[in-house]
Amino acid sequence: NAGVTQTPKFRILKIGQSMTLQCAQDMNHNYMYWYRQDPGMGLKLIYYSVGAGITDKGEVPNGYNVSRSTTEDFPLRLELAAPSQTSVYFCASSYYYRGSISGTEAFFGQGTRLTVV
Amino acid sequence: TQLLEQSPQFLSIQEGENLTVYCNSSSVFSSLQWYRQEPGEGPVLLVTVVTGGEVKKLKRLTFQFGDARKDSSLHITAAQPGDTGLYLCAGVDTNAGKSTFGDGTTLTVKP
């Protein structure tokens, strides 16, 4: 069982370039999330999705876009990369239904370390 | 925006010592989770606490949820080098299905 798979693991971008961070999960989870983690800090939610075709903004969505065309995949798009987007990006998924407590365990990928120069 | 404050930010101790880290908020959460993150990896869930005053034990780790469901603590007894990592608390919003993370406590246990 692969769990949550993120690609690439590392990437260096020049200012103004664009890229897509890939995320796939094979656990049939309905919820998926993108977080960024700056050095020595916790996780900030960028976008999340409650199911295929539905996405919503998190705390720090500016400069990013997402789509969720299938249950399995949740790519994150960076347009016009800026140095402030240098960070480690984590994708996560969970199985959740409204009011659930047990269903909120998030399973994380290994992260993508992005540097914008 | 609900905020979670964790303290201390950094903690370096010797093997065998006890320690407590704290997670505080001005907001009430439906439940609170503790994750551990090792370098180069994503966070992994340790425990979820749901009821005010609840205490859960996981081997040498004891987790407590405050009576008002605004704060939590993690106590480690006889710390070992394998406990080294970043400990994150996360407040759960069960209406939206998403969590708010604190900035974490970086724990280093020296042999």
Side-chain angles (χ1 to χ4, degrees):
Chain A
N1 222 355
V4 178
T5 302
Q6 291 184 237
T7 56
K9 286 186 168 47
F10 303 93
R11 183 72 186 269
I12 298 175
L13 276 183
K14 293 185 178 178
I15 294 172
Q17 287 186 321
S18 301
M19 77 164 293
T20 299
L21 281 65
Q22 301 291 344
C23 175
Q25 55 95 4
D26 62 359
M27 296 173 282
N28 202 30
H29 285 167
N30 53 348
Y31 276 60
M32 294 188 75
Y33 314 83
W34 274 106
Y35 293 92
R36 60 176 286 172
Q37 184 175 37
D38 297 329
M41 306 292 282
L43 302 167
K44 301 294 184 189
L45 183 64
I46 305 171
Y47 272 95
Y48 68 106
S49 169
V50 305
I54 306 171
T55 63
D56 208 349
K57 295 178 180 179
E59 303 168 74
V60 289
N62 292 342
Y64 307 95
N65 280 299
V66 294
S67 59
R68 183 102 180 265
S69 57
T70 67
T71 299
E72 294 79 19
D73 300 299
F74 191 40
L76 177 71
R77 177 82 177 161
L78 277 72
E79 304 282 2
L80 298 175
S84 61
Q85 293 179 304
T86 294
S87 190
V88 181
Y89 291 84
F90 286 99
C91 179
S93 71
S94 68
Y95 182 73
Y96 177 74
Y97 57 92
R98 187 175 290 274
S100 166
I101 298 297
S102 62
T104 55
E105 176 179 2
F107 293 82
F108 287 81
Q110 289 195 306
T112 295
R113 185 175 297 274
L114 175 67
T115 303
V116 182
V117 297
Chain B
T1 303
Q2 298 174 309
L3 295 175
L4 283 166
E5 294 184 355
Q6 290 190 242
S7 61
Q9 187 176 1
F10 299 97
L11 189 56
S12 181
I13 61 172
Q14 293 295 133
E15 182 176 2
E17 293 183 359
N18 302 333
L19 67 115
T20 302
V21 298
Y22 301 92
C23 174
N24 294 295
S25 174
S26 57
S27 303
V28 175
F29 288 101
S30 306
S31 62
L32 196 137
Q33 298 173 321
W34 285 92
Y35 288 81
R36 188 173 83 184
Q37 183 179 16
E38 298 187 15
E41 302 289 332
V44 176
L45 182 69
L46 295 173
V47 77
T48 301
V49 286
V50 178
T51 306
E54 182 177 5
V55 177
K56 281 192 174 179
K57 292 193 174 185
L58 189 66
K59 296 183 181 179
R60 293 175 295 99
L61 279 60
T62 301
F63 304 85
Q64 185 160 8
F65 202 12
D67 291 342
R69 304 205 330 268
K70 293 183 179 180
D71 55 88
S72 182
S73 63
L74 159 59
H75 181 79
I76 301 179
T77 303
Q80 299 177 0
D83 296 326
T84 293
L86 176 66
Y87 288 82
L88 295 161
C89 67
V92 180
D93 177 351
T94 54
N95 285 327
K98 58 180 181 173
S99 300
T100 300
F101 282 82
D103 284 341
T105 292
T106 300
L107 172 65
T108 303
V109 182
K110 300 175 184 176

